[in-house]
Amino acid sequence: MREFKKYSFELDGIDKIILNSLMSNAKTSISKIAKEVGVSSTAIHQRIKKLEASEIIKNPVTPLNYKALGYKTIAYVGIYLEKSVKYQESINEMLKINEIIEAHFTTGNYTVFIKLLCKDNDHLMDVLRNKIQKINGIVRTETIISLEQSISRQIKP
Amino acid sequence: MREFKKYSFELDGIDKIILNSLMSNAKTSISKIAKEVGVSSTAIHQRIKKLEASEIIKNPVTPLNYKALGYKTIAYVGIYLEKSVKYQESINEMLKINEIIEAHFTTGNYTVFIKLLCKDNDHLMDVLRNKIQKINGIVRTETIISLEQSISRQIKP
DNA sequence: CCTGAAATTGCTACGGT
DNA sequence: ACCGTAGCAATTTCAGG
């Protein structure tokens, strides 16, 4: 019996052009890509379907401009967790905090490392004091505030 | 003379439904949203135009599944920079390193804080030793490796 | 992988409230 | 300022080869 291997096919040049177009602009028209590489729209369409099926590309998303929405402060917080406390418990609590947009279980000093998006520094301080530091098992936190984000991009396939 | 105020209008319930739909799936059809809120497609379309014009939403993008492409290691690196070295110089060097997908100028101990995406730990070590630590002015780095990303989301408007 | 036609969707103009 | 109808343009999908 032949097994289906997820994630296992080679991307050729056409696939890479498709990926590079779609990753920077999900609305790139299929016909435009088709003209660029010199095949029919249908061919491009079929390849995109294949890339979706193999889960190499995900649903296109529309990024919000957080600054325009009033979220101007990006911060990272390293969290020291009591050994006795279950990691998943704290994650469950963090899921309830809207300002947390990323969380990682990490090596090194910190147990958990999170990324926060807040309106301003006051908002950040409020979230830290009244939400994060009240989570059971958190013994200490270290905050890194981003003064300027100078690089933000995806990796090229 | 009347000044144009960027970013300054209130989002009503309909706008929020639009944003919530598009942010999670940029391909949500206008007509579907229209049915959901009970107005015409045109009305939704006009609102989307307005959201674009006011830069609240950006170009839709197609996220790549990095795991499927073989990138399985996420790491953060805190960088200590010599005072004598210009911040922008080091950023220019970092822009050349494909594996760096985010960089921040930060408060606290680190001068610069970056996010890296690598295929595996060997790849990470190679990038650290042979690319990052060779940048002029970097005196020390601290690496945080993500063993598991447990939260990854956007903020709800 | 292609052609050609059908269906769905998105876009624009113009008018109404 | 916001919404709708209607017609137009473009894109996506399907059939068959």
Side-chain angles (χ1 to χ4, degrees), chain A residues 22 26 55-56 60-62 65-66 76 87 95 97 100-105 107 145-148 150 153, chain B residues 22 26 55-56 60-62 65 76 87 95 97 100-105 107 145-148 150 153-154:
Chain A
L22 295 183
E55 291 175 30
I56 286 179
V61 301
T62 305
N65 181 348
Y66 289 117
Y76 291 90
Y87 162 66
L95 277 168
I97 302 172
I100 298 179
I101 57 173
E102 278 187 42
H104 300 265
F105 184 58
T107 62
I145 299 175
S146 167
L147 300 172
E148 181 186 272
S150 20
R153 62 184 180 191
Chain B
L22 294 184
E55 292 175 29
I56 287 179
V61 301
T62 305
N65 181 347
Y76 292 90
Y87 161 65
L95 277 168
I97 301 173
I100 297 179
I101 57 172
E102 278 187 42
H104 301 264
F105 183 58
T107 63
I145 299 175
S146 166
L147 299 171
E148 181 186 271
S150 21
R153 63 186 179 188
Q154 295 196 64

Side-chain angles (χ1 to χ4, degrees), chain A residues 49-153:
Chain A
K49 283 287 171 209
K50 200 171 163 189
L51 291 168
E52 283 167 353
S54 58
E55 291 175 30
I56 286 179
I57 58 183
K58 309 185 200 173
N59 264 354
V61 301
T62 305
L64 305 187
N65 181 348
Y66 289 117
K67 283 189 186 166
L69 290 169
Y71 287 84
K72 308 197 190 233
T73 299
I74 301 171
Y76 291 90
V77 181
I79 295 173
Y80 295 83
L81 218 58
E82 264 176 34
K83 284 212 182 91
S84 58
V85 176
K86 293 271 189 304
Y87 162 66
Q88 190 57 47
E89 269 177 46
S90 63
I91 292 296
N92 289 343
E93 289 305 308
M94 289 182 206
L95 277 168
K96 297 176 193 161
I97 302 172
N98 196 34
E99 289 86 354
I100 298 179
I101 57 173
E102 278 187 42
H104 300 265
F105 184 58
T106 59
T107 62
N109 295 325
Y110 309 133
T111 320
V112 181
F113 192 69
I114 65 177
K115 182 175 184 176
L116 281 179
L117 211 47
C118 294
K119 303 214 169 199
D120 49 35
N121 283 355
D122 286 347
H123 182 196
L124 171 61
M125 290 309 149
D126 178 59
V127 171
L128 283 171
R129 268 209 281 268
N130 299 320
K131 294 184 177 176
I132 292 173
Q133 285 172 355
K134 286 200 173 148
I135 294 175
N136 187 31
I138 289 183
V139 291
R140 198 155 72 82
T141 63
E142 276 175 26
T143 305
I144 298 168
I145 299 175
S146 167
L147 300 172
E148 181 186 272
Q149 177 153 10
S150 20
I151 299 178
S152 175
R153 62 184 180 191

Side-chain angles (χ1 to χ4, degrees), chain A residues 4 21 24 95:
Chain A
F4 173 63
S21 304
S24 56
L95 277 168

Side-chain angles (χ1 to χ4, degrees), chain B residues 2-150:
Chain B
R2 208 176 162 288
E3 235 184 295
F4 173 61
K5 284 198 194 166
K6 221 185 197 179
Y7 304 163
S8 64
F9 68 86
E10 290 299 311
L11 303 175
D12 66 11
I14 297 180
D15 291 319
K16 287 186 182 169
I17 290 174
I18 294 173
L19 291 178
N20 276 308
S21 304
L22 294 184
M23 70 190 259
S24 55
N25 185 358
K27 282 237 162 74
T28 315
S29 76
I30 292 182
S31 50
K32 184 167 165 286
I33 301 174
K35 272 172 206 153
E36 190 181 336
V37 306
V39 298
S40 74
S41 313
T42 318
I44 301 296
H45 184 249
Q46 285 167 348
R47 279 169 181 266
I48 292 176
K49 282 286 170 206
K50 200 172 165 187
L51 291 168
E52 282 167 353
S54 57
E55 292 175 29
I56 287 179
I57 57 182
K58 308 184 200 174
N59 263 354
V61 301
T62 305
L64 305 187
N65 181 347
Y66 289 116
K67 283 190 186 166
L69 289 168
Y71 287 84
K72 309 197 189 232
T73 299
I74 301 170
Y76 292 90
V77 181
I79 295 173
Y80 295 84
L81 218 58
E82 264 177 34
K83 284 210 182 94
S84 59
V85 176
K86 295 270 190 305
Y87 161 65
Q88 190 56 48
E89 269 176 47
S90 63
I91 293 294
N92 289 343
E93 289 306 308
M94 289 182 205
L95 277 168
K96 297 177 193 160
I97 301 173
N98 195 34
E99 290 85 354
I100 297 179
I101 57 172
E102 278 187 42
H104 301 264
F105 183 58
T106 59
T107 63
N109 295 326
Y110 309 133
T111 320
V112 181
F113 193 69
I114 65 177
K115 182 174 184 176
L116 282 178
L117 210 49
C118 295
K119 302 212 170 200
D120 49 36
N121 283 356
D122 285 347
H123 182 195
L124 171 62
M125 290 309 149
D126 179 59
V127 171
L128 282 171
R129 269 209 281 267
N130 300 321
K131 294 185 178 176
I132 292 172
Q133 285 172 356
K134 287 200 173 148
I135 294 175
N136 186 32
I138 290 184
V139 290
R140 198 155 71 82
T141 64
E142 277 176 24
T143 305
I144 298 167
I145 299 175
S146 166
L147 299 171
E148 181 186 271
Q149 176 153 11
S150 21

Side-chain angles (χ1 to χ4, degrees), chain A residues 32-56:
Chain A
K32 183 168 166 286
I33 302 174
K35 272 171 207 155
E36 191 180 335
V37 306
V39 300
S40 75
S41 310
T42 319
I44 301 296
H45 186 252
Q46 285 166 350
R47 278 170 183 264
I48 293 176
K49 283 287 171 209
K50 200 171 163 189
L51 291 168
E52 283 167 353
S54 58
E55 291 175 30
I56 286 179

